[in-house]
Each structure stands twice: as structure tokens, then as C-alpha cells.
Amino acid sequence: AGVAAAGMTSARADAAYRLEGDLDVQDLGQKDGWYWFRGSLEIILRDNHNDKLLVDERWPLKVSGATKPQAEVRLRDQVQQRLNLELKTALLGVKEQQN
């Protein structure tokens, strides 16, 4: 949903740009009655014609929950929130850099 909100469509063979994502999460286990996850979400945008790196954004993630499934849901929600709120801004930065 965040990718669509940023104005991008699904991949085509002749696409000018390639958007890649990497979610790196560590399960920190239970501490003081809470289940914890920590990690980062990285978004990379490349020019498909010359493989030039245009955007490389990384956002930290840290969530907890009273149960492990609750912490997993919160992690998923945090990833979605980051994409919905910050992906478009990161991609718009490419236009500003190229002008």
C-alpha cells in the first residue's frame, strides 16, 4: 500500500526504476514480561538503465508486545506506517537531487 501511495506501480520489464526493500529484524525474546523485536527497514531505488543508486533510506524499528504475536503485529504495523508516511518523501528527494 505504501508503494502504491507513493505513486509507483508493479514491475514491468521496461521500467525506468527498480525499488528494492530489505527488512532486517532481530527477535530479542522476552524481557521484563514483554516480547521485543528490533531491526531496520531499508528502501533502495535504482535507475534500471545504468543501475545507479538514487535512494538509500533506512529506518530503525523497535516494538514490543505483551505476547509474541502481538509484537509481530506491531512490527508489521510499524513497517506499514513507515512506508505510508516516509516512502513518498524519500522518492520525491530523487527529483530534487536531479533538478
Side-chain angles (χ1 to χ4, degrees):
V3 173
M8 301 190 83
T9 59
S10 59
R12 295 185 341 241
D14 63 341
Y17 303 101
R18 182 175 71 248
L19 182 64
E20 303 168 359
D22 182 42
L23 180 60
D24 180 25
V25 177
Q26 297 172 328
D27 181 345
L28 301 177
Q30 189 176 19
K31 183 176 181 183
D32 299 325
W34 293 90
Y35 290 86
W36 290 89
F37 289 101
R38 179 179 59 199
S40 64
L41 172 64
E42 183 178 22
I43 296 298
I44 297 169
L45 182 69
R46 293 187 183 276
D47 185 318
N48 260 349
H49 301 294
N50 58 17
D51 207 38
K52 180 180 177 185
L53 179 67
L54 301 172
V55 173
D56 187 357
E57 286 285 338
R58 181 183 302 263
W59 300 286
L61 304 169
K62 187 173 183 182
V63 297
S64 64
T67 65
K68 189 172 184 175
Q70 182 185 48
E72 290 169 344
V73 167
R74 289 180 176 178
L75 176 65
R76 190 172 39 246
D77 289 347
Q78 192 174 88
V79 167
Q80 182 177 0
Q81 182 181 18
R82 288 285 188 177
L83 290 174
N84 288 338
L85 295 176
E86 301 188 47
L87 180 60
K88 187 172 186 176
T89 302
L91 296 178
L92 287 174
V94 172
K95 289 183 179 181
E96 292 173 6
Q97 293 172 12
Q98 292 178 348
N99 288 338

